[in-house]
Amino acid sequence: MDTDTRGPLSPDVLDREDVTAALAEHDFASVFTLIKKWGGLSQNRIAAACELTPGKISNVISGQQQIVSFAVICRIADGLRIPGHMLGLARRPWEVEPLDEQQHVAEPDRQPPADESPWRPDVTVDLASTLTRSDLVMDRREATRALAGVAVSGAVLLDSLEGWLQPAAAAPTRPRRGRLGEQDIEQLERTARQFRSWDHRYGGGLRRKAVVGQLNEVAANLEEQQRPDVEQRLYRVMAQLAGTAATMAWDSGQQRQAQQYYVLALRSAHAGGDTVFGANVLAGMARQLLYRERPQDALELVRLAQDGARHEIGPRVRAMLHTREAWCYAAQGRASAFQRATGQAAEALTDAGAREEPYWIGYFGDAELAGVTGGRMLDMARTDPRKHAEPAANSIRQALAIRGVEASRSYALDWIGLAECSFLAGDTVDAATNTQRAVEAAALTRSARVRSQLSALYPYTVGRSASSGLREARDSIRDLLST
């Protein structure tokens, strides 16, 4: 075999026909048995390499358990240094860069001091300059390391955001005079709006460097003494660009980097007096923590948003915040509180009518409310499918009936959710059909979040070999996730 695995298995073991066949079929009972026989590895060593327990390895070999999680399959590939193509995966990171370059290097802490109160605009500008310069020169290896960065939570995060509730400190006088005028700032505002539209439509980080580059330029302009009205609008543009960069980083799996951009967006909105957008940023940070299974921290962020912008937000933003609140309750298993918050969201949205609100909340309408509600019911259906699976499916169908494929990320997540509802309800025919639709929709976006959700469907398709539809669905998931 040409590829240097640099792992516990010699190339001649991986070249064996029986090993190759077992890997291709994801028959891990045979894989582990053959590795023990021909590779000389004990169950304990296999378990340690794959981050599994020895008992799990024993149960797999004996046929008592199957490995169906896509994430675990990736761990096996990485732990035993099995080239990705042998398991139907994309090339693994260690196949394309030397091991001694993969060692994790701690990122410098780019967060401002937690006890800075009140927040100073000049510190926010320095944060923007440092963060964007580092991001723009990041090479492929550093980008790979960034995927391992973990978002901060708990008191460390929450205490650092208390400055949001206090007025901003006065901006210091700068030595250089800025020359931006009305036309310049209008062009920057249009650019920020276009970038946000791209992210909403396509997902993923395809245009993230362009956003970061523009953000760096805005920060440079704020290092000069602009007219007060121009300066305020510049801070608002910086907030919107940082919010888009945060969403793109998060959607690409770069959790720590996403959180740093969220913090920058919040501070920029604060410096620019845009309380409503700041509340939206806090809602984004809450969503990130909900995906990390930190619902109580997320709820604290939602309440911080509600407290800080209570008298300024319009009905659509209020409705969105109520859905984030409902999400927190669903994650905590508080069904009654979930229903109450969802009802408040629906009531607020009814009040929206033709009222003018910021362009960035225009996406939040009946389709978004139905999709988010269905997704949260699906969360509860995983523990009580008989009670929640069908209502979740109904809400998701309502969302799909309203919004089209142009909202590619949300559209794909809806189909993935509907497929899981079908699995939970025991309807394997609908599940196979909906899974195929989910894969087709996922192929239209580069969102890592969509692929992560799609990988969660994979276990449902394993062990049901009697159904050709499910076999095809399983293969389609595997093919997409492996590209």
Side-chain angles (χ1 to χ4, degrees):
M1 190 172 65
D2 295 332
T3 303
D4 177 11
T5 63
R6 296 167 288 176
L9 299 176
S10 63
D12 61 307
V13 173
L14 292 175
D15 277 336
R16 291 182 58 86
E17 290 186 10
D18 49 1
V19 173
T20 301
L23 288 169
E25 292 298 320
H26 287 192
D27 179 2
F28 289 102
S30 297
V31 169
F32 293 151
T33 299
L34 291 167
I35 286 174
K36 286 177 63 180
K37 181 177 181 180
W38 301 111
L41 301 187
S42 66
Q43 288 184 189
N44 285 347
R45 189 173 178 194
I46 294 172
C50 302
E51 298 180 39
L52 299 170
T53 65
K56 173 78 169 181
I57 300 296
S58 178
N59 288 339
V60 170
I61 290 174
S62 67
Q64 297 178 53
Q65 287 184 266
Q66 288 183 303
I67 290 177
V68 296
S69 166
F70 203 82
V72 174
I73 294 170
C74 291
R75 288 216 309 268
I76 292 170
D78 295 339
L80 297 174
R81 289 295 187 265
I82 300 170
H85 73 272
M86 299 188 75
L87 283 161
L89 305 174
R91 295 187 73 189
R92 311 305 298 158
W94 49 266
E95 293 185 71
V96 293
E97 62 180 77
L99 285 178
D100 59 359
E101 293 181 349
Q102 294 184 56
Q103 302 304 313
H104 177 68
V105 177
E107 290 185 335
D109 187 1
R110 305 185 190 110
Q111 303 284 21
D115 59 354
E116 180 205 355
S117 182
W119 283 352
R120 291 167 44 199
D122 58 316
V123 174
T124 298
V125 174
D126 289 344
L127 174 64
S129 298
T130 302
L131 182 58
T132 54
R133 280 200 304 268
S134 174
D135 200 354
L136 288 169
V137 300
M138 182 184 296
D139 63 16
R140 179 176 52 80
R141 291 188 298 274
E142 289 172 321
T144 301
R145 295 186 191 114
L147 291 172
V150 179
V152 178
S153 57
V156 174
L157 173 65
L158 299 174
D159 288 350
S160 72
L161 302 180
E162 285 296 314
W164 155 252
L165 297 175
Q166 301 179 30
T173 301
R174 297 169 179 87
R176 297 192 308 274
R177 183 175 179 179
R179 301 182 181 278
L180 290 186
E182 184 72 20
Q183 289 186 337
D184 299 311
I185 196 69
E186 287 179 356
Q187 184 175 359
L188 288 170
E189 289 168 343
R190 286 194 297 271
T191 300
R193 184 168 183 163
Q194 183 62 53
F195 281 139
R196 192 172 186 87
S197 173
W198 282 348
D199 175 56
H200 178 66
R201 182 168 184 178
Y202 301 111
L206 189 62
R207 296 171 174 84
R208 195 174 68 83
K209 289 290 187 180
V211 176
V212 173
Q214 187 67 77
L215 181 56
N216 179 266
E217 186 174 335
V218 171
N221 284 314
L222 280 166
E223 290 173 350
E224 300 174 341
Q225 189 69 36
Q226 306 289 348
R227 291 195 336 242
D229 60 321
V230 170
E231 182 176 274
Q232 182 184 56
R233 289 168 70 179
L234 270 176
Y235 275 116
R236 295 185 175 202
V237 168
M238 189 159 76
Q240 293 183 27
L241 289 169
T244 300
T247 304
M248 287 179 165
W250 175 55
D251 208 30
S252 301
Q254 297 176 345
Q255 298 299 328
R256 176 64 169 161
Q257 202 165 27
Q259 190 176 67
Q260 290 170 336
Y261 277 116
Y262 273 132
V263 171
L264 174 60
L266 183 65
R267 291 177 61 99
S268 301
H270 184 260
D274 194 346
T275 306
V276 179
F277 188 74
N280 181 64
V281 173
L282 285 165
M285 297 179 76
R287 179 180 57 181
Q288 183 186 26
L289 291 182
L290 282 162
Y291 272 91
R292 288 194 57 219
E293 300 181 357
R294 298 299 298 262
Q296 187 56 47
D297 287 349
L299 186 57
E300 292 290 336
L301 291 179
V302 173
R303 287 172 175 164
L304 190 62
Q306 293 169 328
D307 289 344
R310 188 177 304 279
H311 302 296
E312 298 182 45
I313 55 177
R316 288 187 191 276
V317 178
R318 187 178 302 110
M320 181 271 293
L321 289 175
H322 280 310
T323 61
R324 291 286 196 275
E325 185 183 357
W327 191 341
C328 297
Y329 294 140
Q332 294 173 329
R334 300 171 59 187
S336 296
F338 166 79
Q339 294 292 347
R340 171 174 52 78
T342 299
Q344 290 172 323
E347 183 178 349
L349 192 57
T350 301
D351 293 339
R355 177 171 170 172
E356 185 176 352
E357 292 191 62
Y359 77 89
W360 45 260
I361 197 61
Y363 77 94
F364 197 92
D366 292 335
E368 186 67 16
L369 177 60
V372 171
T373 300
R376 306 300 62 83
M377 287 181 175
L378 173 56
D379 292 341
M380 294 188 289
R382 294 187 184 112
T383 56
D384 191 353
R386 295 183 64 181
K387 183 176 181 180
H388 298 294
E390 189 55 35
N394 289 337
S395 288
I396 295 173
R397 289 190 193 100
Q398 182 182 350
L400 284 167
I402 301 172
R403 63 179 161 209
V405 69
E406 64 276 2
S408 58
R409 180 171 53 205
S410 297
Y411 183 76
L413 290 171
D414 284 344
W415 276 112
I416 293 169
L418 188 59
E420 187 172 0
C421 287
S422 299
F423 280 117
L424 290 171
D427 189 341
T428 56
V429 175
D430 270 1
T433 301
N434 292 335
T435 298
Q436 291 287 12
R437 295 293 301 271
V439 173
E440 292 168 6
L444 301 176
T445 174
R446 297 175 62 89
S447 169
R449 180 157 43 109
V450 167
R451 280 162 169 72
S452 175
Q453 295 293 96
L454 187 63
S455 71
L457 282 183
Y458 190 83
Y460 289 106
T461 67
V462 176
R464 304 171 187 266
S465 57
S467 168
S468 60
L470 284 179
R471 285 202 304 274
E472 292 172 3
R474 181 184 63 216
D475 291 344
S476 65
I477 292 176
R478 182 173 163 180
D479 290 345
L480 181 62
L481 294 180
S482 299
T483 57

